[in-house]
């Protein structure tokens, strides 16, 4: 018996719980490599017999599937490769001020289905918004059935401060929600793991960490929507602070005498770099979100002065906020997402201008990255949090027998 398998009497269940998670996490981290049982034993320090037993439970539960044949050496039978079962999945969902979105993500991290609809949610009662989102969740469930994917649970991201344990939106100023209880589980009736509530910017930051491909363990993710949010990743972990509100970059004051903000303050970054602030400064006419963004991009391509100035000013103020953040947190990198990613070609030079003026030398051009995930990062992060909870605690599912095929 290896050191990892030894335990005092009465602690066998705890050891098995840890070892199941260890093996499942090892499979998840190998990605496309699809390790064999022998390779897992070598990588985890567990015996081959222990790994075989653990893998048998994970395969039976439907969390892991066997694929292909791999030869570990010159002698012996080839071993079967192992991967997270792509016929199990999680639904990521997002409520934002002017749209709703859902995405079906399999355990391997592939986005199998996505749908987004424009929806003017500001000031709407939560029940009305949840009813609209429920229709999209039903689309995702239908897509899962068509794809042969069993839904284990979901993640719901909202643009505000949340109490995840109590399904409470503490404050979402741009939605005009304060102390609102939600029923996320009703969006996916029958899903064994339910639905987990989270903050939109934090979810997007985790989506970037797990699925963005940047390979960085420390960065600040900046989410650009109607509001501006931030997610802080330190040591490949989300830093939320003692009250859960770390990363509220949109409400950093960048102009003391600036306009009032939805948070109750004034001169916040959001009032200069939020989506609506840019549209108004660029004189983009009213219309759907997609029409307005397309109009803004067209104006930028044509070098229309008002559009160019609006985006330049937004980038400069973002650079001011990032300069303060860089000095305070010793940032290694910044990743721009949401509409900041869509406007990256025009925005990035202005951001660097603000950074270089107010925090020269702290962040270089290579340290300022534009996310390739764009708006899908939030969906991937919301779903990914549920997937991580499965990887960290698979024994409960196995004992419950809820995933057995």
């Amino acid at each position: 018996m290896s050191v990892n398998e030894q335990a005092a009497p009465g602690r066998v269940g705890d050891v098995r719980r840890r070892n199941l998670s260890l093996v499942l996490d090892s499979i998840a981290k190998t990605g496309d490599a699809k390790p064999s049982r022998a390779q897992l034993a070598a990588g985890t320090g567990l015996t081959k017999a222990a790994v075989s037993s653990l893998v048998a439970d994970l395969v039976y539960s439907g969390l892991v599937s066997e694929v292909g044949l791999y030869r570990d050496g010159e002698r012996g039978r080839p071993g079967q490769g192992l991967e997270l079962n792509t016929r199990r999945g999680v639904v990521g969902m997002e409520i934002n001020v002017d749209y709703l979105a859902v995405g079906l993500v399999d355990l391997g991290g592939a986005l199998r289905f996505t749908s987004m609809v424009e929806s003017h949610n500001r000031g709407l009662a939560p029940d009305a918004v949840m009813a609209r989102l429920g229709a999209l969740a039903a689309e995702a469930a239908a897509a899962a059935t068509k794809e042969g994917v069993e839904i284990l649970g979901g993640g719901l991201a909202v643009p505000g401060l949340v109490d995840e344990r109590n399904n409470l939106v503490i404050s979402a100023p741009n939605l005009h929600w304060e102390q609102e209880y939600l029923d996320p589980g009703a969006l996916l009736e029958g899903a064994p793991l339910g639905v987990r509530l989270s903050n939109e910017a934090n979810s997007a930051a985790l989506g970037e960490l797990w699925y963005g491909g940047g390979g960085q363990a420390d960065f600040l993710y900046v989410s650009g929507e109607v509001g501006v949010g931030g997610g802080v990743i330190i040591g490949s972990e989300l830093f939320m602070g003692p009250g859960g509100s770390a990363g509220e970059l949109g409400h950093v004051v960048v102009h003391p005498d600036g306009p009032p903000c939805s948070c109750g303050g004034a001169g916040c970054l959001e009032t200069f770099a939020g989506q609506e602030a840019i549209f108004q400064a660029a004189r983009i006419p009213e219309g759907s979100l997609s029409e307005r963004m397309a109009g803004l991009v067209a104006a930028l391509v044509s070098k229309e002065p008002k559009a160019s100035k609006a985006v330049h000013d937004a980038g400069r103020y973002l650079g001011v906020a990032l300069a303060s953040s860089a000095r305070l947190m010793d940032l290694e990198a910044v990743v721009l997402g949401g509409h900041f990613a869509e406007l990256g070609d025009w925005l990035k030079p202005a951001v660097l201008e603000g950074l270089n003026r107010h925090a020269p030398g702290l962040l270089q051009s290579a340290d300022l990255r534009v996310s390739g995930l764009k708006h899908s990062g939030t969906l991937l992060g919301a779903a990914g949090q549920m997937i991580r909870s499965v990887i960290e605690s698979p024994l409960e599912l196995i004992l419950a027998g809820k995933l057995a095929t």
Side-chain angles (χ1 to χ4, degrees):
M1 180 178 288
S2 72
V3 173
N4 285 334
E5 295 170 83
Q6 294 176 2
R11 305 288 290 177
V12 174
D14 290 340
V15 172
R16 192 160 189 81
R17 178 178 289 104
R18 289 195 299 270
N19 286 344
L20 279 165
S21 178
L22 175 63
V23 169
L24 193 57
D25 186 52
S26 297
I27 295 171
K29 287 179 177 176
T30 56
D32 295 332
K34 299 177 177 58
S36 68
R37 289 165 174 79
Q39 289 169 333
L40 285 172
T44 61
L46 300 172
T47 66
K48 291 183 179 180
V51 168
S52 292
S53 173
L54 295 165
V55 167
D57 281 347
L58 293 170
V59 171
Y60 175 74
S61 73
L63 294 176
V64 168
S65 55
E66 298 174 304
V67 290
L69 292 173
Y70 294 84
R71 187 176 296 278
D72 295 323
E74 294 296 324
R75 299 181 181 180
R77 294 186 303 171
Q80 285 187 299
L82 300 164
E83 66 177 5
L84 296 185
N85 191 351
T86 56
R87 299 181 73 83
R88 300 290 186 272
V90 171
V91 178
M93 295 170 279
E94 180 184 3
I95 294 172
N96 221 301
V97 177
D98 46 15
Y99 68 86
L100 301 169
V102 300
L104 174 66
V105 183
D106 67 35
L107 292 187
L111 188 60
R112 305 281 288 270
F113 167 84
T114 185
S115 179
M116 186 187 85
V117 296
E118 295 192 14
S119 175
H120 300 292
N121 300 317
R122 190 194 303 271
L124 281 184
D127 287 349
V129 177
M130 292 290 279
R132 293 180 180 181
L133 184 59
L136 281 187
E139 288 184 24
T145 299
K146 184 177 180 181
E147 294 267 332
V149 176
E150 179 184 344
I151 294 174
L152 304 183
L156 170 60
V158 299
L161 182 62
V162 303
D163 175 354
E164 174 191 327
R165 291 185 178 181
N166 295 304
N167 290 326
L168 173 68
V169 178
I170 298 170
S171 177
N174 286 313
L175 290 173
H176 297 172
W177 290 1
E178 298 288 333
Q179 299 294 319
E180 297 284 359
Y181 287 94
L182 304 182
D183 183 12
L187 297 168
L188 295 174
E189 293 285 359
L193 299 180
V195 178
R196 178 175 179 173
L197 185 65
S198 64
N199 168 267
E200 168 262 329
N202 286 341
S203 290
L206 289 170
E208 186 67 30
L209 173 69
W210 294 326
Y211 306 111
Q216 290 164 318
D218 305 277
F219 62 90
L220 171 64
Y221 180 92
V222 185
S223 170
E225 304 291 347
V226 169
V228 177
V232 183
I233 301 294
I234 299 175
S236 297
E237 298 285 344
L238 177 67
F239 175 75
M240 298 178 64
S245 60
E248 285 291 311
L249 188 72
H251 300 293
V252 170
V253 176
V254 294
H255 193 314
D257 299 318
C261 180
S262 62
C263 72
C268 299
L269 172 64
E270 191 172 287
T271 65
F272 296 96
Q275 192 171 266
E276 189 59 36
I278 295 174
F279 286 152
Q280 289 188 11
R283 301 294 190 269
I284 302 300
E286 293 294 329
S288 69
L289 174 60
S290 57
E291 289 170 344
R292 299 185 85 187
M293 185 56 70
L296 176 60
V297 170
L300 291 168
V301 170
S302 300
K303 298 183 179 179
E304 200 281 325
K306 285 187 175 61
S308 298
K309 184 176 187 305
V311 172
H312 179 273
D313 287 349
R316 183 166 55 84
Y317 279 116
L318 177 55
V320 172
L322 291 176
S324 298
S325 301
R327 291 192 183 281
L328 185 65
M329 295 189 289
D330 189 24
L331 292 176
E332 182 178 290
V334 173
V335 180
L336 303 179
H339 71 254
F340 291 147
E342 294 187 56
L343 302 175
D345 288 345
W346 300 277
L347 193 76
K348 187 175 176 179
V351 175
L352 289 171
E353 177 186 317
L355 275 168
N356 290 334
R357 179 177 180 184
H358 299 285
L362 285 188
L363 286 174
Q364 306 303 317
S365 178
D367 302 324
L368 181 64
R369 215 165 38 82
V370 173
S371 174
L373 298 179
K374 297 185 178 178
H375 290 286
S376 66
T378 300
L379 297 177
L380 287 165
Q385 290 174 78
M386 182 61 75
I387 293 172
R388 289 304 308 175
S389 72
V390 171
I391 291 172
E392 291 167 3
S393 303
L395 181 60
E396 285 72 12
L397 296 172
I398 293 170
L399 292 177
K402 291 182 178 179
L403 305 184
T405 55

